[in-house]
Amino acid sequence: MMNWVLAATLICGASVLNSCKEAHTQEDNPVKEVQSTELIRTSQSWDGVELPDYLVGRPELVSVKYVFPAGKKLGWHHHPVMNYGILVQGELTIIGQDGKEKVVHEGEAVVEMVNTIHHGENRGTKDVILYMFYLSQKDLPLAVQHPEIPLD
């Protein structure tokens, strides 16, 4: 039953990226056929850890657009629910509390850590635009902040 949730979320995410890229190229080279490009298929977060089982109960799908200015650092946080995103502009570095890093480039998809503390940084010179998709439930937070952990 929950496979449809993941499939619908993946399709939605892929269509966002395709729409953003196609909007820039359609004027010069119009698309004549429907195109589909699978960006990611995995059961692990970016650091290689297996994702948890689905939550039990009614799902709540959440989609969020984030814009991170150049030089901006996010505070330490963790996600209690599975989520993944598509970076449509810029370059984002995700850092785990263990020091492991993942650089996400424009056009790439990333599966975030679940219940593992991490933070993100825009070390680039242009704003990062990131679309995130959460497989959540009503009243669950998308992220839990950890202000007690200093960034530097």
Side-chain angles (χ1 to χ4, degrees), residues 19-131:
S19 296
C20 291
K21 283 185 170 182
E22 288 172 10
H24 295 295
T25 61
Q26 277 187 349
E27 293 173 6
D28 299 332
N29 187 14
V31 176
K32 295 183 172 72
E33 298 292 329
V34 174
Q35 297 177 355
S36 175
T37 304
E38 185 171 296
L39 300 176
I40 195 166
R41 181 185 297 249
T42 185
S43 59
Q44 299 177 340
S45 57
W46 66 263
D47 62 340
V49 175
E50 290 292 318
L51 292 171
D53 291 336
Y54 283 114
L55 300 170
V56 176
R58 182 172 305 279
E60 181 176 70
L61 305 180
V62 183
S63 177
V64 179
K65 176 184 177 183
Y66 294 98
V67 178
F68 301 99
K72 179 71 175 173
K73 292 182 180 182
L74 297 175
W76 291 100
H77 63 279
H78 77 270
H79 303 284
V81 298
M82 287 184 281
N83 65 95
Y84 72 96
I86 300 167
L87 196 135
V88 297
Q89 179 181 293
E91 185 176 280
L92 180 66
T93 303
I94 306 169
I95 302 102
Q97 199 172 17
D98 61 1
K100 189 182 250 185
E101 292 189 7
K102 166 74 175 172
V103 178
V104 185
H105 303 276
E106 196 167 296
E108 291 181 344
V110 62
V111 178
E112 273 277 40
M113 303 166 135
V114 180
N115 291 319
T116 300
I117 297 174
H118 62 282
H119 79 277
E121 298 179 3
N122 180 352
R123 297 174 179 169
T125 58
K126 64 180 176 178
D127 292 351
V128 162
I129 299 175
L130 175 67
Y131 290 93

